[in-house]
Amino acid sequence: MANKSLVSFIAGFGTGYMNQEEKKANRERQDKLDQIVLDRAARDKADADRQDAERAQIAAAAAPTAVTGAAPQVQFGQDQPVQYDDASAAGSDARQAARMGIQTTVTPTRWAAGGQTFGSEAEAAGAAQKFNTPEAANTRIGAVLRGINPERGAAFERANQQVKLGAMQIQKTEQQEADDKFNRLMLENFQRLGPWQGAARMLTETGAGGLAGATVRPVVSPDGKTVKFMSAKDGEESDMGLSYENSPAGVQRLLYDSSQLDPRTKLEWLRDLNKREEDAKLKGREMAVHERQQSETERHHRALENLSGERVANSAARIGMPRPLTAAQERSNAEIDAARQQVAGLSNAEILRRTDKATNTGRENPDYDPGLARAAALARRRKVGEDDAFNAPAPRAEGPSQTSGQQQAQALFDADPALKAKGYRLGKAQGTGFEVLDSTGKVVGRFGPKE
């Protein structure tokens, strides 16, 4: 028996030992997995930080520059100007002096652009213009990329070179188009206006040779043998120094000289011509869109004017802000006010007597007033916008003179003993009369004037 107990103890001890070893192994394995995750997260963060830094470097290289006053001088009141080396310090002192009531004048003496300083604003502006060109920006970006990754920098520069070649090809194609179009229009002007007037028109349109904004005209010599060109600009006319024989040979020479016009001038002329054509098309599209929008706006306004006053008021209340009244709504409100004034001195019984087309016995009402009936109907309408009179509680009816039409009909119904004997009673209004119901609620007739 003792041996069995000893065996059980040893077995249990062994099992506990194995459990402890297994737990230890699991902890070690989990620790390794946790460390792998931490190492991966650290690498990911390092990669993200590096990519952010690279993007910041590229953005800084691509960022344009502006001309700023790098070294200003500040004059405090009537004192001699003080020269500063730091623009921020000068600005801070100037603001502090202004808060103290001292008049200050800040004047730049050096200008900065693209990390460089210049002695004049014009020099800084020229440097900024070069710094901000796409070519200069791409050069700076390429240098940054080469520092980050030489292969990546080389790939960017190859791509940039391809873009340049493509741009050159496009410019070459555009130049050819400019030459062809210029020469074609020149010949058309020659044929339509004559060679001299045609040449003057082309010179005026192209602005060649510093003629931008000038008007060119041909002048034939008194003897008719030569033609010279004059340019007029800002009210002053001057000789252009272009003179040709007034003969077919002179026309040929003019045609040749015109075809040899500076290619850049032709290109600028073509771009300006294309821009004018595109502007004209855009203006036409904008006018069409404006006309459609105006038509839609007018249609929308007409639709709003056709809405009832109550619907417009409820719509305005839903969006939490009042709408301005349209002309139609103002007219409607004025008509309602006039109708209320017309019925103001009349009792309900008087209005009922004069606005019912038929009497309670079904005969034609001799006192019926169609104008008063319309006024009474308008007076009960709610005005667009605020209407305190409409929202005020209706006065309580007092005395027999203010009995409603239903009360009068009920009184007449009750006065008929035959109807009472049959157990009939009045139902809901039907036209100008009322339904007659039996004891079960079934409609058996109608009480009131004929429709």
Side-chain angles (χ1 to χ4, degrees), residues 300-311:
H300 181 63
H301 286 168
R302 287 195 300 269
L304 286 178
E305 290 179 358
N306 291 333
L307 291 174
S308 66
E310 183 176 0
R311 181 176 178 186

Side-chain angles (χ1 to χ4, degrees), residues 12 29 78 85 108 122 151 161 210 229 249 277 340 356 406 435:
R29 183 167 56 253
Q78 300 299 323
D85 292 330
E151 293 182 0
Q161 186 65 26
F229 289 91
E277 292 176 351
R340 290 177 181 176
D356 241 345
Q406 185 173 2
E435 294 176 345

Side-chain angles (χ1 to χ4, degrees), residues 13 31 37 50 90 109 159 166 186-187 204-205 223 262 328 347 433 438:
F13 179 80
D31 290 343
V37 172
R50 186 184 67 256
T109 58
M186 182 177 59
L187 288 174
T204 299
E205 288 187 356
D223 58 7
D262 180 18
S347 65
D438 61 12

Side-chain angles (χ1 to χ4, degrees), residues 298-373:
E298 292 176 355
R299 185 184 65 80
H300 181 63
H301 286 168
R302 287 195 300 269
L304 286 178
E305 290 179 358
N306 291 333
L307 291 174
S308 66
E310 183 176 0
R311 181 176 178 186
V312 173
N314 291 338
S315 298
R318 281 196 298 272
I319 63 175
M321 57 186 298
R323 289 185 179 179
L325 298 182
T326 64
Q329 292 166 350
E330 290 178 350
R331 289 194 301 269
S332 176
N333 285 354
E335 291 175 355
I336 293 173
D337 287 335
R340 290 177 181 176
Q341 292 179 2
Q342 186 176 347
V343 302
L346 303 177
S347 65
N348 290 342
E350 179 70 10
I351 294 173
L352 182 64
R353 182 180 67 80
R354 294 173 56 186
T355 57
D356 241 345
K357 289 185 178 181
T359 64
N360 290 333
T361 58
R363 295 186 179 89
E364 183 178 352
N365 183 6
D367 297 327
Y368 176 68
D369 184 347
L372 182 61

Side-chain angles (χ1 to χ4, degrees), residues 204-274:
T204 299
E205 288 187 356
T206 58
L211 294 174
T215 302
V216 179
R217 69 181 184 93
V219 178
V220 181
S221 63
D223 58 7
K225 293 183 178 180
T226 61
V227 178
K228 66 179 179 179
F229 289 91
M230 306 290 291
S231 66
K233 186 176 182 180
D234 299 330
E236 296 183 1
E237 192 172 49
S238 58
D239 191 340
M240 295 176 58
L242 297 176
S243 180
Y244 297 90
E245 290 182 7
N246 191 11
S247 63
V251 172
Q252 289 293 329
R253 182 66 186 177
L254 171 65
L255 185 61
Y256 174 79
D257 289 347
S258 300
S259 66
Q260 298 301 309
L261 192 64
D262 180 18
R264 288 176 298 180
T265 300
K266 292 182 182 179
L267 190 58
E268 291 174 1
W269 165 81
L270 176 64
R271 290 172 178 172
D272 183 63
L273 179 65
N274 291 338

